[in-house]
Amino acid sequence: MKPVPYAEAVHVYRTAEYMTDDQRFASRRPDVMVYQTDILQDDITLTGPLTADLFVSTTGTDADYIVKLIDVFPPETKADLSTDVKVPLGEYQMLVRGEVFRGKYRNSFEKPEPFIPGKVTEVRYGMPDIAHTFKKGHRIMVQIQNSWFPLVDRNPQNLLIFTLVQTAIFKKPPRGSIMIPIILPV
């Protein structure tokens, strides 16, 4: 199989739209596992971190696992004519969150370890926080795939361990900062 691309269209440069792009192209692929809820009867709001807890088996000694959380729009959804939307929105599969994990690091980032081919193994990892409301009439979908090209480099599916060939030495600490927005109670 060819790697699962991050977007259906071919782009010269990565666009910002990939973060909310339609994922219908991926859900039609035989190498993408798809799970979805029934139609939601009420709004459901998710906030905070997500955890992927997978039980997997592979024929190789390493594999990538990409978990995508998707908001599936109702079939009757129409685009607002005042917007620049160029795709049909009925059953649009909007990417809400996606994260990759290289399986060899499932137990330790310091000591990668191979999978035993054919053995079911737990792969559990954190995904970035979310703040999203799935509206009444929508569905929640999860897609699981083993590649997300070219956002994630191709994995040969065999454990490769690289050694450091160059060491960076900083003579004085670099300057920098992290901006953290804080919302204070009223």
Side-chain angles (χ1 to χ4, degrees), residues 28-91:
R28 294 188 294 263
R29 290 178 57 115
D31 55 344
V32 176
M33 296 186 341
V34 178
Y35 306 93
Q36 73 177 350
T37 65
D38 291 332
I39 295 170
L40 299 178
Q41 301 305 309
D42 297 296
D43 289 0
I44 294 179
T45 299
L46 302 181
T47 59
L50 301 172
T51 300
D53 192 11
L54 310 175
F55 290 84
V56 303
S57 166
T58 180
T59 58
T61 55
D62 190 19
D64 291 341
Y65 297 96
I66 293 88
V67 174
K68 299 187 300 189
L69 180 66
I70 294 164
D71 188 339
V72 182
F73 294 17
E76 64 277 0
T77 304
K78 303 280 187 229
D80 180 346
L81 296 177
S82 67
T83 65
D84 194 27
V85 175
K86 295 180 176 78
V87 297
L89 292 180
E91 299 184 337

Side-chain angles (χ1 to χ4, degrees), residues 95-115:
L95 180 62
V96 175
R97 186 66 74 238
E99 186 67 18
V100 65
F101 191 82
R102 188 141 286 173
K104 66 184 174 187
Y105 298 114
R106 67 195 175 281
N107 295 319
S108 166
F109 287 111
E110 291 80 24
K111 296 179 183 176
E113 57 186 271
F115 285 97

Side-chain angles (χ1 to χ4, degrees), residues 125-140:
Y125 64 97
M127 296 176 63
D129 287 9
I130 184 174
H132 183 79
T133 297
F134 294 87
K135 295 293 195 178
K136 177 181 178 179
H138 289 222
R139 294 176 188 256
I140 300 172

